[in-house]
Amino acid sequence: TLTRRVFATPAEAERGLSLPALASFGALPLARDAAPVPEVADLVALLLDARVNRRRPCLVQFVSAGGDDGGDVLARAVAMEYARRNNTDTLLIDLRTDGAAHLAALGSEPREVEERVPGNVLVFSTAVPNLWVSFDAAHSHLTDPMATQEQTLNLLAQLRQAFDAVVVIGPQADESYPMRRLTSLMDLNLIVVRGERTIGSRARALRDWVLGAGGTLLGFVYTGQRRVLPPILSRML
């Protein structure tokens, strides 16, 4: 324990990051027809109850401290849960990849368009009712260093008007100004911590990066949870 650089349990991550653990997950649904996960439903209920400046958050970003932390699968599961609730129009934006893998997992694929509006986000519907996925969103005003803050704000305002919830998969800690600006403009940011894999110092640096950018940080979600001790020892403790 003294020499380990990673968090083995959510409680360790809470102490190491001085942040609340909002949810912890083992296995997550991979496809559109997977059964809902109770922990995902609880997390979405928490996000729906949260208020920022007396307003329900619409733009929620998952940020990663590096490595295969399952944040992309988690964000997709959260977007699916949003869409299942009361016909909530939901958009999933992936800024790490072009989003094609999400579209494939959700029964869709990108299609040719006659004309794409420069700077805007291109979205496609999926087999999940009320759920859309962006394609190639990294090439938009969200992350374009040539875009002004006004252009970014106008695009986010359009997304707010078109969707009840927008779930963003942010790239791994990025020092670029556009990502710092976007992080500050999100309603909520959540750090993804992978059990026994995410290095504690990197997670703390990411926490400080989000707060330094002026972003609202609600807490962290813990993925890859497993039993560290045998059940008999857990009961003794």
Side-chain angles (χ1 to χ4, degrees), residues 5 14 34 41 70-71 76 107 134 151 179 184 188-189 196 198 236:
R5 297 195 301 159
E14 282 189 321
R76 187 169 70 224
S134 69
Q151 289 174 315
M179 277 312 306
S184 71
L188 289 178
N189 293 278
E196 302 175 89
T198 299
M236 292 173 62

Side-chain angles (χ1 to χ4, degrees), residues 206-223:
L206 178 61
R207 173 201 61 191
D208 296 341
W209 179 85
V210 173
L211 296 175
T216 300
L217 182 58
L218 189 62
F220 72 90
V221 291
Y222 189 93
T223 63

Side-chain angles (χ1 to χ4, degrees), residues 81-152:
E81 182 63 29
Y82 264 118
R84 291 187 177 115
R85 292 177 179 245
N86 303 321
N87 297 323
T88 301
D89 289 333
T90 305
L91 172 64
L92 176 63
I93 297 179
D94 191 344
L95 296 177
R96 293 191 205 176
T97 71
D98 61 8
H102 296 296
L103 286 167
L106 297 171
S108 183
E109 61 180 0
R111 300 181 299 274
E112 292 291 337
V113 294
E114 293 184 1
E115 184 178 359
R116 178 176 179 177
V117 179
N120 279 17
V121 174
L122 183 63
V123 304
F124 295 97
S125 60
T126 69
V128 178
N130 308 306
L131 179 58
W132 284 261
V133 174
S134 69
F135 180 71
D136 202 22
H139 294 90
S140 69
H141 288 327
L142 296 179
T143 58
D144 184 1
M146 301 301 294
T148 65
Q149 182 171 359
E150 182 180 6
Q151 289 174 315
T152 304

Side-chain angles (χ1 to χ4, degrees), residues 25 28-29 40 43-44 60-63 70-82 90-94 96 102 106 131 166-170 192 221 223:
F25 304 93
L28 288 166
V40 175
L43 176 59
V44 172
V60 177
Q61 179 176 231
F62 289 86
V63 290
D72 53 346
V73 178
L74 172 60
R76 187 169 70 224
V78 167
M80 290 169 58
E81 182 63 29
Y82 264 118
T90 305
L91 172 64
L92 176 63
I93 297 179
D94 191 344
R96 293 191 205 176
H102 296 296
L106 297 171
L131 179 58
V166 179
V167 179
V168 180
I169 303 172
V192 181
V221 291
T223 63

